[in-house]
Every structure is written in C-alpha cells, then in structure tokens.
Amino acid sequence: MNLLVSDLLLQLPLAAVPVDARMGLGEDIAYQSVGIVVVIGSLATIALILVGLNRILGAIGLLAPAGGAALRKLPPVATTGELADLAPDLRAAIAAAVYTTLGPDHHIIEIQPKLSPQMLAWSMEGRRQIFQSHRVR
Amino acid sequence: MINDLITFFGLTGFIHITWQMAVMWGVVLVLLYLAVYKGFEPLLLVPIAFGALLANLPTAGLVNEPSPPVLSPVAGEVVEWRVLVGQEISEGEVLGIVRSSDPGRPGTTELRATGSGKITMLHALPMDRISEGQLLATVYNHEPGGLFYYIGRGIKWEIFPPLIFLGVGALTDFGPLIGRPIVLLLGAAAQVGVAATFIGAMALGFGSGESASIAIIGGADGPTAIFLSAKLAPHLLPAIAVAAYSYMALVPLLQPPIMRALTTTRERKIRMKSLRPVGKLEKLCFALLVTVFCILLVPAAASLIGMLMLGNFLRECAVTERLVKSAQNEIINIVTIFLGTSVGITMTGERFLRGETLMIIGLGVVAFGTATAGGVIMAKILNLFVKEKINPLIGSAGVSAVPMAARVSQIEGMRADPNNHLLMHAMGPNVAGVIGTAIIAGYYIATIALR
C-alpha cells in the first residue's frame, strides 16, 4: 500500500470532492478552508519539529553556544591609552568585527589607527576606484 | 524600380502592425519607466517589458514551433480533412473542419495550421469523436524553431521557477526562522490572502485553475506564481506574472496603511528579544527535514521545495562554496533573464488586452491586502498566548516578497520607535511565507488536477 500524505489529505471529506470549474460559494469556502488548514498545519508541524530538534541537539550538547553566555565568562578589560581615546562607536564596530571573525574568546588589547604605507596605498586605490566610478560634477 | 520598392514594402513588418501592438508598446513603456526610473523590480520587469516589446512586433522566426502539432480546439467530432498525408502546408492554411459537441460553443470550427511543414500523419478520421486538445495531425518541418520557442520551454516544462528557487535557497538564511519557530505561523497566516482571492476570483467567473493561479499572487512569490500559472492557467501567465512582480515592487506602498490600521502605537513599539544563535547543524537538519516533510505532504511542490532546500543546504554546509556562488549569482541571473523575457514574449496584445487582465490586476491588490492583514492579525492572536511578545508589524512580512516585506516591517517599526530594529525578526516570517506559498501551490496542483 503506497499511500502519500497528500493522498490521505485528499480523502478528507471536504477535499475529496473534485474541484469543479464553477463551484458554489459554500464549496469554495470549504475548499479554501482545507487549504489553509493544510498550510497552517504543515508549518505548525515544522515549527514543532524545530523545537524538538532544538531540544535533542541541546540534550546531546550539539547546540550552538549562546554568544551572551560565552561573553560573560570573560571579565571586562579597562580601556586605557589610545583605546580609550577612540570614539565609542568606532570601538563598538571594531569589537563587533573581532567578535564576528574571531569569536567571543578574544579581547582587544591594542588598536593601531595609523596605517602602514602599503595599507594606505590600498585604501587610496580603493578610494580612487570609487571616485572613478562616479560622475564628476 | 517603384514596383520593386512596393514589393519590398510588402515584405516589411510595417503593414503587419495592429492597434493592439501599438497599445502594448504603451504598456511596455510604462513597465520600462517603472523599472528603470522608479526602480520597481527592475531585474524582472526590464526583461519582461523587453520580451513584451518583441512579442508585439511583427517578428519572424522568434517564437515559431519547429513542428507544430495540430490539436483539436474543441471536443466533438472531425467533419472533414482538406489535406492529405505527405502534403506540404503553410501557416494559417485550413487543414480540416471539426464540429463542437459543447453546448456552450456550438457549430463547426476550422482547423488551421500554426506553422508550415509536411503532414506526416492524421490521427483521426472524419466522424471520429475527439476531445479538446487531442492530437489530430503531425507535421514535420525541417526548419528549427524560433529562439523563444526553446527558451520558453523553461516555463512550459517548469524548469525556470525551480532554478530560481535554487538561487533563492542559496541566498536565504533560515536562521531567524529556526531561532524562533513560532513565526512560521505568520507565514502560514499570510496565505489567507491567497484563499480569499481564490474565492473572489471564482465569484468573478474564473475557473478553479485560473482562480488558483490568480490567488497565488497574494503569496508575493514570483517563481511560484509562474510555476502554478504555467500548470493550471497558461493563458493567464503574462497578466499574472506582471501583476505579481508589480505588486511585489509596490509592497512599500501597499502594506504600511494596512499595518498601521490593524495595530496600535503600543503594539508597534513592542521590542522583541534578540534571536538565539543558530548553529550549522541545526540549519542543515532544517533543510533536510523541511525537504522530506514538505515533499511527503505535497509531492506536487517537490521541484520548488526540493530546489529551495538544495540551494540552502549548499549554502549552509560550507563545503560547496563554488556551487553556492554559482547558484547565488550566475544561475539565478541567467535564469532571471530567460524567465523574464519568456514571460514577456507571451504578452501579445491579443492575449493581454482583455477585461480579465484588469480583473487580475484588481484581484492582485485584494490578494496582497488580505495576505498582509492575515499575517498581522495572526501575530496579534499569538500575542494572546505567548510570553515573549511579537511585534505585529513582522506579521506582514509573511507575504514572502523577500526581503522587501521584511524591510517594510523594519521601516514601520522604526517609525514608531527609532531604536527598534525588526529586520532580523521579520526575516523569519518572510522566509516562512516562501515555504507556505509553495505548500499552498502544491495543494492547488494536487487537488485541482483531479478534475
């Protein structure tokens, strides 16, 4: 017996009636109600599957670590010198970049705002290309 | 010499221009204006508009079939044949006469050749009973088909929409959805718009296949709308595709008034808790589980769901970087050009300039409006039961239109509270809407095909 779930759904009383090209309003509403029940039911089932998956992975320790919890393990370091002089939004941007690329187990010890001549050349080249791609007014 | 010039003029396309073509040039200009100067879905509207321009020029060898089969236009019987096997025929030539047995379309109809070639077989004899669409004669033509005959196979054989879904899957991060699974219900609730529009379309006199194809505009998912229309109502495909993509572009105008009308200022200010981080394993499991579950539920949507999740698996597994880049860029871009122009090439004046096109455009607004309302109302209902409140503005993102609808939620949220960022929260229902639309499309295909 090779029955698919959709075949079973089609055996439901409302959907079992073939959809006529000119159904009555009541039949239209019944047909659409079954459709909505199918969609909501299936997405709710996926939601339940995801909750179950989360629980199972959590129980066997395969869940992604929560970022906040990992951060709390490390004591904050007082910002001094050049780091303290840096604008807070810049500090936040750099910290976010470090967190994203290196992970939560890293502290920023030092920030060197001065660029080496090679790096400066790269940024100048980038700037030149950006300006070149715009119309000069 | 003057006679030669007159003869040459007779060979040009100028004398084949019709008023419908001229009107469609206007439609093309409007579409191009919206796409180029207003930025309305330019990636799709430009190819569609250009395809429509080609469709409304007296082109030669652009869309012709290589060996056009002769199909019965009606159910009834063959009255007579006016050609013999082996005879050369030309396009438009009368091949025979059929009589309709449909009380709604009584009388006889001429069978005309849709291309040139040689008759190789007649499949029905005079007085034989025939059904609509039945193959009556086979024609051989050594000439190849037109360019868009072949490109158009991508829609007819339902190749392009699943390939677009491959790219969409490779571009989509399902993390916000996995992080808060309850938002799947917002994507489901937005499908109420599809259901309501189906009922409206039926009330206006459309058939069930046509109504389903029109209603799916409310899903705000272009590839799914094209996929379903190509299957259930191919003759409405151009109008449905144009309406779907136009309204998707108009999401920032259509949704905010409905969102504001259905929510209070206090609700719009609800701040949602940050999403938990979602790991690679969870994302991979999600792709596999959704593939298996959805295909078991609605096998008719297997190509859409399968390709969407394949693209997403390629993205999340992190070992197929080259394939992901191809799916995200080259494949989706190339297919978009072909899909757009293939839809446009079907927009001939005779097919597009009809009252039903206006009705489809009107029903499209209803579909979008009710879908938006459905998502917002579902979020409000969920707030009655959940501890962590949901900002109802993210419910509107359940209409798909990724990521435009999520951006609208973000903008409306910031309008109420400039420091409230809803974008990532809205991405959950946004991608849930894609899955929901594919499921309801599969439901329609499975049930309407039973007729």
Side-chain angles (χ1 to χ4, degrees):
Chain A
M1 185 101 156
N2 188 18
L3 263 183
L4 294 172
V5 180
S6 60
D7 296 330
L8 294 171
L9 281 169
L10 294 175
Q11 289 169 14
L12 289 171
L14 291 173
V17 183
V19 186
D20 190 13
R22 292 283 180 273
M23 294 185 298
L25 181 64
E27 287 174 357
D28 285 348
I29 293 170
Y31 175 61
Q32 291 309 309
S33 302
V34 174
I36 288 298
V37 167
V38 168
V39 176
I40 293 182
S42 52
L43 291 189
T45 308
I46 294 173
L48 289 175
I49 290 171
L50 287 176
V51 172
L53 178 71
N54 181 263
R55 295 256 166 91
I56 293 167
L57 293 180
I60 55 178
L62 290 174
L63 216 55
L71 273 178
R72 274 195 296 278
K73 287 177 189 167
L74 298 170
V77 176
T79 49
T80 53
E82 278 186 41
L83 205 55
D85 296 338
L86 212 60
D89 53 343
L90 261 181
R91 250 190 286 158
I94 293 168
V98 169
Y99 176 80
T100 309
T101 52
L102 301 176
D105 303 326
H106 292 80
H107 275 304
I108 301 167
I109 306 298
E110 189 185 6
I111 295 174
Q112 291 185 334
K114 289 174 187 167
L115 295 170
S116 64
Q118 287 89 349
M119 290 177 79
L120 202 61
W122 272 112
S123 91
M124 283 176 68
E125 171 62 13
R127 193 173 291 229
R128 189 189 66 77
Q129 285 187 9
I130 290 168
F131 279 118
Q132 206 172 35
S133 68
H134 288 72
R135 191 174 50 187
V136 179
R137 290 171 193 270
Chain B
M1 183 183 162
I2 290 173
N3 281 342
D4 288 346
L5 281 173
I6 291 169
T7 307
F8 173 73
F9 185 75
L11 295 173
T12 65
F14 290 104
I15 58 167
H16 298 292
I17 294 172
T18 61
W19 69 267
Q20 288 99 333
M21 287 179 176
V23 174
M24 285 305 291
W25 295 345
V27 173
V28 166
L29 284 177
V30 170
L31 291 178
L32 286 176
Y33 172 75
L34 291 175
V36 177
Y37 289 99
K38 294 289 176 184
F40 285 5
E41 291 283 337
L43 298 182
L44 252 302
L45 280 190
V46 168
I48 287 177
F50 211 90
L53 178 64
L54 292 175
N56 290 283
L57 288 170
T59 53
L62 199 62
V63 290
N64 58 300
E65 293 186 37
S67 298
V70 180
L71 305 176
S72 173
V74 293
E77 63 178 7
V78 176
V79 177
E80 63 168 316
W81 283 109
R82 293 186 184 171
V83 288
L84 299 169
V85 173
Q87 185 177 330
E88 291 282 348
I89 57 164
S90 54
E91 189 175 345
E93 186 177 334
V94 178
L95 307 177
I97 306 287
V98 289
R99 181 181 294 118
S100 169
S101 60
D102 181 359
R105 288 192 291 178
T108 56
T109 308
E110 287 179 341
L111 278 177
R112 288 184 180 272
T114 52
S116 58
K118 184 189 277 186
I119 299 278
T120 53
M121 188 173 282
L122 297 174
H123 297 272
L125 296 170
M127 308 310 289
D128 275 359
R129 302 293 302 170
I130 51 170
S131 56
E132 188 174 344
Q134 184 180 326
L135 179 66
L136 297 182
T138 311
V139 181
Y140 171 75
N141 187 338
H142 62 275
E143 292 288 331
L147 172 67
F148 280 99
Y149 167 77
Y150 294 106
I151 294 178
R153 297 299 96 181
I155 290 181
K156 200 175 173 67
W157 294 340
E158 290 156 5
I159 296 168
F160 291 158
L163 286 180
I164 295 269
F165 260 48
L166 175 76
V168 171
L171 286 163
T172 303
D173 177 14
F174 283 100
L177 179 71
I178 303 168
R180 185 175 281 126
I182 199 167
V183 297
L184 272 155
L185 294 177
L186 304 181
Q191 308 312 316
V192 169
V194 175
T197 310
F198 182 101
I199 295 166
M202 289 293 287
L204 286 173
F206 286 101
S208 51
E210 294 171 330
S211 299
S213 305
I214 295 166
I216 210 76
I217 295 172
D221 196 333
T224 308
I226 291 170
F227 184 81
L228 193 68
S229 308
K231 230 177 178 68
L232 300 181
H235 56 291
L236 297 183
L237 177 62
I240 288 170
V242 168
Y245 282 109
S246 304
Y247 287 133
M248 278 163 66
L250 290 170
V251 156
L253 297 177
L254 291 173
Q255 286 196 318
I258 300 166
M259 293 159 75
R260 275 177 240 147
L262 293 173
T263 52
T264 62
T265 312
R266 197 175 161 192
E267 284 174 328
R268 291 197 289 274
K269 285 183 177 173
I270 292 176
R271 289 201 176 190
M272 295 178 67
K273 202 177 158 190
S274 294
L275 292 164
R276 69 173 176 82
V278 177
K280 176 180 165 182
L281 183 61
E282 261 185 296
K283 289 181 177 177
L284 292 178
C285 290
F286 169 80
L288 293 176
L289 289 171
V290 169
T291 305
V292 173
F293 177 73
C294 289
I295 292 178
L296 286 176
L297 184 75
V298 277
S303 55
L304 289 178
I305 295 283
M307 294 304 270
L308 178 75
M309 289 302 155
L310 168 63
N312 192 251
F313 195 92
L314 290 174
R315 170 198 166 97
E316 300 300 347
C317 70
V319 290
T320 55
E321 202 177 328
R322 281 164 48 197
L323 304 186
V324 179
K325 280 185 178 165
S326 296
Q328 288 176 335
N329 298 291
E330 290 83 2
I331 292 176
I332 199 168
N333 290 341
I334 291 168
V335 175
T336 299
I337 293 172
F338 289 163
L339 181 78
T341 46
S342 301
V343 168
I345 207 80
T346 60
M347 285 173 64
T348 54
E350 295 77 24
R351 291 177 77 176
F352 197 79
L353 298 175
R354 293 178 181 177
E356 62 191 20
T357 303
L358 286 177
M359 283 199 275
I360 289 168
I361 289 168
L363 285 165
V365 179
V366 175
F368 259 77
T370 44
T372 303
V376 174
I377 291 168
M378 176 58 101
K380 288 167 74 105
I381 293 171
L382 287 178
N383 275 344
L384 298 174
F385 304 101
V386 296
K387 203 162 62 179
E388 290 174 11
K389 298 297 176 199
I390 298 169
N391 190 317
L393 292 177
I394 71 165
S396 64
V399 301
S400 310
V402 184
M404 192 102 70
R407 252 185 259 148
V408 172
S409 300
Q410 160 78 6
I411 292 166
E412 284 303 306
M414 285 187 76
R415 199 167 279 173
D417 175 0
N419 293 317
N420 195 5
H421 297 281
L422 296 173
L423 186 64
M424 285 314 287
H425 300 291
M427 282 308 291
N430 212 191
V431 293
V434 177
I435 300 173
T437 308
I439 290 176
I440 201 158
Y443 169 75
Y444 285 144
I445 294 167
T447 51
I448 288 172
L450 289 177
R451 291 177 59 208

